Amino acid sequence: MISYRHDIDGLRCLAVLLVVLFHIQLWPISGGFIGVDVFFVISGFLVTTLIAHNLEQGTFRFSDFYARRIRRLFPAIFATVILSLIAGWFLFSPDAFSGLAQSSIATVLSGSNIYFWMTSGYFEPAAHYKPLLHTWSLAIEEQFYLIWPAAIVLIAGQAVKRKRLLIALICAVLLSTVLAEWAIRSDHLSASFFLLPFRINEFAIGAIIAFVPAWKSRLGNNGLALAGLAGIIAPAILFTPETVFPGINAMIPCVATAALIYAGRETIAAKTLSNPITTYVGRMSYSFYLAHWPIIAFYLFWRGSAVGLEPIEQALLFAASFVAGAALYHFVEAPFRIKSGTAKVAPNLGNRGVGVWFSSSTLAAVLASTFIWVNQGVPSRFDTNKEISQLLASMDKLPRSEFKRLEESQPGPRQILLIGDSHAGVSRTGFFKWAAENNAKVTTMTVGGCIPLLNAQTSANFRDVCQKRNFEDLNTLDYAKYDTVVLLARWGLYTSIGTENGGRFGKLGAPILLASDEGRYKDVELSRRRFYDALNATVKKIEAADAVAVFVGQVPHIGEDPRACLVKSSTAVDAQENCNSATFKSTQAETSWATERAKDIEFLTVYDPTPLFCPEDKCLIMRDGKMLYRDGNHLSPYGADVLLQGLSPVLTEAFKSSRM
């Protein structure tokens, strides 16, 4: 069994700092998310070493192993979940609170990675307001701990046949990496990020070095350790949320971490990591990690925007996270890890007692969270303020930005095809209602994050999904089946520098349309030319099919998530005045260019919704006691109805112009 290594705690310190600095948006740590991968390698190394040693000594017991894992992980997790639910009660709107309750259930059941895979993406804007999102990595670790001891016993036996196990581990690394690359290239990027089969290679890399004989060269180990340290720091600076990850790219920090651990404790790098400060932070890194994201997420929700944290905000968030993490470590995590029970906070529990405590605590957390979920976020919390309660009730959840292939309303003699991104997706309800009232049929094809134009490609995270839609589906659609084809999207993302675009590490500017991977991310003029060419080509294809093309300009954005502002408001007048950080000028800067340029294209009907939502040059967030928006730029169901009220004459006229 390995003795305590200060340098590994120092490595934990580095890993957690990278993650926290990334989450507070500190430049230049644009790839700090790789800190999680460092943790995975460390876990693979330590857990495998422990299991192998106990098997060889004849002291391994599954009950001991799992009781130790429960003591190590779950007291702090339960505390984090409970405190997050308490904070959510006071700070969150009903839908956000309901989502928090659902994620709480998934967290205590060790399935939050699966939950977040099914409901969101790690780098999506809405992810900033999910206090338990970071527990996806803990769920992966817990699932790893569940299967790993049995896998080692099954493969290596009680005597631990190291050669056989080493071969199996190498195969696991290769297979998992190939699976991750396949998932990424097969439009399953989110699955490759969140699910264990695509991450098992990272644990296995750490496990491998537990069985590789030590290298006796002092110079060689020093060089290996320095290369490992560089291999962690470089991706943390050079990678960005747009980097394709995990897959092959994840192997860089993982192999680097393994090299640093393998080089041993006597290297210059290891001794640098072994000072009292880094080892202390490393020891409490788990609690620090658990505490930091809920604090950041609640603050961003209260703030109303995740864009452009100021240095003072970053410093205060870091300090608050560190203090909370230290408190969680000293008062919850450490006492429960002391099996002797010498700490007064935790009783002296044997393995059976740990199991009973764990089961009862899990049940209590699930029941409390289920109550919140079943009661839809307990909107009665706001009953004392009827105006705000009514406004919150008019906003429902933003659906997933998934591919809605040919979703149809009821039949009708007139056929409308709606193509677009998430802006079109949230407008579907309005189109379906309009179709029912006007004896028409609407077919929608919406993909979140994808510009709905032929041969247009973006530099955003949805590259593979968008390529399938833009290069395959839009080219093969039978436009002749439809009388009218409506194009609706957040056009400003591709043609203008908007107040919400980018947002991380000073990258203000649109995701640029790319015909290839040449990657000029800030060339707005290039993007505008490609936008115009793609729109022109799309309209020509629609017109050639004898259908009418309608371009719906981008609805104005309001600049922040209104839910956070609403729960802080006392009247609807206050909300209208304070919950819209975007000015008319900034809204026009993002929306107007595309709408005006579209008017230059022949055979294209253009509708500009700006006057509808911004009468007298002041943009509204509510009308008739109902919210027009459900977040900073997507319409609510009521907002979609309002959009269709304005668009209705255009669609009616388009029907008259189409073939009879």
Side-chain angles (χ1 to χ4, degrees):
M1 182 176 182
I2 63 170
S3 59
Y4 172 68
R5 286 181 57 172
H6 292 84
D7 60 304
I8 290 182
D9 270 337
L11 188 54
R12 285 192 177 110
C13 170
L14 175 61
V16 75
L17 287 178
L18 290 178
V19 174
V20 175
L21 295 178
F22 170 70
H23 283 155
I24 64 173
Q25 304 172 21
L26 185 70
W27 185 90
I29 312 298
S30 59
F33 52 85
I34 62 101
V36 170
D37 306 274
V38 175
F39 278 123
F40 286 166
V41 176
I42 294 173
S43 293
F45 170 69
L46 293 177
V47 169
T48 304
T49 302
L50 175 66
I51 294 172
H53 172 79
N54 288 343
L55 284 172
E56 290 174 335
Q57 297 297 313
T59 59
F60 178 78
R61 300 289 184 273
F62 283 99
S63 59
D64 290 341
F65 177 83
Y66 291 122
R68 183 170 179 168
R69 292 299 97 196
I70 289 172
R71 285 178 178 274
R72 170 76 172 86
L73 299 175
F74 281 93
I77 286 179
F78 286 131
T80 301
V81 167
I82 292 168
L83 292 172
S84 295
L85 289 173
I86 292 172
W89 178 276
F90 294 103
L91 297 176
F92 267 4
S93 58
D95 67 304
F97 195 37
S98 178
L100 174 59
Q102 294 174 48
S103 64
S104 298
I105 295 172
T107 297
V108 298
L109 295 178
S110 301
S112 61
N113 61 324
I114 299 172
Y115 171 79
F116 289 117
W117 163 58
M118 297 175 64
T119 58
S120 68
Y122 185 73
F123 298 111
E124 290 181 358
H128 291 104
Y129 309 129
K130 298 185 178 181
L132 297 178
L133 176 63
H134 65 322
T135 63
W136 71 270
S137 64
L138 306 181
I140 285 184
E141 287 218 29
E142 290 153 13
Q143 293 158 17
F144 164 74
Y145 296 143
L146 186 64
I147 67 171
W148 203 244
I152 291 178
V153 172
L154 183 64
I155 295 170
Q158 292 287 339
V160 187
K161 297 177 180 178
R162 293 185 171 231
K163 184 176 180 180
R164 180 192 299 176
L165 187 57
L166 191 59
I167 293 172
L169 289 171
I170 293 172
C171 290
V173 171
L174 295 175
L175 179 59
S176 180
T177 304
V178 169
L179 281 175
E181 281 295 311
W182 168 82
I184 290 169
R185 298 173 191 277
S186 303
D187 301 338
H188 300 296
L189 181 60
S190 185
S192 71
F193 190 93
F194 282 115
L195 302 184
L196 177 62
F198 310 105
R199 295 281 193 163
I200 200 73
N201 51 352
E202 304 183 21
F203 295 98
I205 286 174
I208 286 173
I209 58 174
F211 300 106
V212 178
W215 193 9
K216 301 300 184 180
S217 169
R218 182 175 181 180
L219 180 63
N221 281 329
N222 269 295
L224 190 62
L226 289 174
L229 195 58
I232 295 171
I233 295 174
I237 296 173
L238 298 177
F239 285 4
T240 72
E242 285 74 40
T243 301
V244 177
F245 201 87
I248 293 294
N249 285 329
M251 293 299 95
I252 299 173
C254 288
V255 172
T257 302
L260 194 53
I261 295 173
Y262 173 75
R265 71 186 76 196
E266 299 302 324
T267 66
I268 296 173
K271 291 179 179 179
T272 302
L273 291 170
S274 299
N275 68 77
I277 295 176
T278 56
T279 53
Y280 170 74
V281 176
R283 287 195 300 273
M284 52 88 71
S285 60
Y286 175 61
S287 289
F288 190 8
Y289 179 83
L290 272 175
H292 89 282
W293 183 245
I295 289 172
I296 294 171
F298 280 119
Y299 175 74
L300 293 178
F301 187 87
W302 175 84
R303 184 177 185 259
S305 172
V307 177
L309 287 175
E310 298 294 331
I312 185 63
E313 293 176 296
Q314 294 171 327
L316 290 174
L317 286 172
F318 183 89
S321 299
F322 185 85
V323 171
L328 187 62
Y329 172 71
H330 288 290
F331 295 109
V332 179
E333 180 191 345
F336 272 88
R337 290 173 64 184
I338 302 173
K339 190 175 181 179
S340 66
T342 55
K344 295 181 179 180
V345 177
N348 186 10
L349 298 176
N351 289 351
R352 182 173 296 180
V354 169
V356 172
W357 170 84
F358 173 68
S359 300
S360 58
S361 298
T362 300
L363 179 61
V366 168
L367 290 176
S369 300
T370 301
F371 170 81
I372 298 168
W373 180 15
V374 169
N375 286 279
Q376 300 178 328
V378 198
S380 58
R381 292 176 293 139
F382 302 98
D383 280 353
T384 55
N385 191 331
K386 297 297 183 182
E387 278 191 321
I388 302 303
S389 180
Q390 181 180 347
L391 288 170
L392 287 168
S394 67
M395 306 164 65
D396 68 353
K397 294 179 182 178
L398 181 67
R400 290 188 65 194
S401 299
E402 61 185 6
F403 187 40
K404 298 287 186 180
R405 184 175 179 80
L406 302 181
E407 186 179 358
E408 298 180 343
S409 68
Q410 81 294 326
R414 291 294 193 179
Q415 301 279 336
I416 299 176
L417 173 63
L418 171 64
I419 306 175
D421 60 8
S422 59
H423 276 218
V426 299
S427 300
R428 294 195 308 271
T429 56
F431 274 89
F432 288 158
K433 185 181 295 186
W434 184 90
E437 296 170 352
N438 290 271
N439 198 24
K441 177 181 179 180
V442 172
T443 301
T444 69
M445 191 174 75
T446 63
V447 187
C450 296
I451 184 170
L453 300 178
L454 287 170
N455 304 326
Q457 180 65 340
T458 74
S459 60
N461 287 333
F462 302 99
R463 175 184 298 278
D464 293 335
V465 176
C466 296
Q467 178 154 343
K468 173 178 171 53
R469 205 275 286 276
N470 293 349
F471 285 84
E472 297 176 23
D473 296 289
L474 293 185
N475 274 304
T476 57
L477 272 174
D478 184 6
Y479 295 97
K481 291 171 52 178
Y482 306 99
D483 301 290
T484 304
V485 178
V486 179
L487 305 172
L488 194 163
R490 189 175 180 182
W491 308 111
L493 284 179
Y494 319 104
T495 61
S496 303
I497 296 178
T499 55
E500 292 183 285
N501 301 348
R504 277 192 185 273
F505 315 108
K507 287 187 177 178
L508 292 177
I512 301 302
L513 300 180
L514 299 173
S516 65
D517 291 332
E518 60 197 53
R520 287 192 281 174
Y521 294 104
K522 294 186 180 180
D523 192 340
V524 177
E525 291 305 317
L526 173 64
S527 184
R528 286 179 169 182
R529 290 196 298 272
R530 289 180 174 165
F531 165 82
Y532 181 82
D533 291 342
L535 179 58
N536 195 34
T538 305
V539 172
K540 285 183 178 179
K541 192 172 184 69
I542 295 170
E543 197 273 335
D546 202 20
V548 174
V550 176
F551 178 95
V552 180
Q554 177 185 326
V555 297
H557 63 271
I558 61 175
E560 62 179 301
D561 191 325
R563 292 179 176 87
C565 189
L566 284 177
V567 297
K568 295 182 292 182
S569 301
S570 57
T571 66
V573 174
D574 290 340
Q576 174 61 60
E577 191 67 29
N578 301 320
C579 298
N580 185 357
S581 64
T583 64
F584 180 74
K585 183 178 180 180
S586 68
T587 292
Q588 286 295 94
E590 180 174 325
T591 64
S592 62
W593 187 91
T595 303
E596 292 304 312
R597 195 73 175 95
K599 294 176 182 178
D600 296 334
I601 294 180
E602 191 176 11
F603 305 118
L604 179 60
T605 300
V606 178
Y607 172 70
D608 183 2
T610 301
L612 190 65
F613 290 89
C614 303
E616 300 179 357
D617 295 348
K618 182 174 178 60
C619 297
L620 305 176
I621 65 167
M622 65 185 72
R623 232 172 68 172
D624 302 324
K626 297 179 181 179
M627 289 295 295
L628 293 167
Y629 293 84
R630 65 177 81 195
D631 64 13
N633 63 88
H634 293 91
L635 295 176
S636 67
Y638 174 68
D641 291 342
V642 171
L643 174 65
L644 265 294
Q645 291 171 15
L647 186 59
S648 180
V650 177
L651 295 178
T652 302
E653 188 62 30
F655 280 157
K656 295 178 182 178
S657 304
S658 63
R659 59 186 182 277
M660 298 301 293

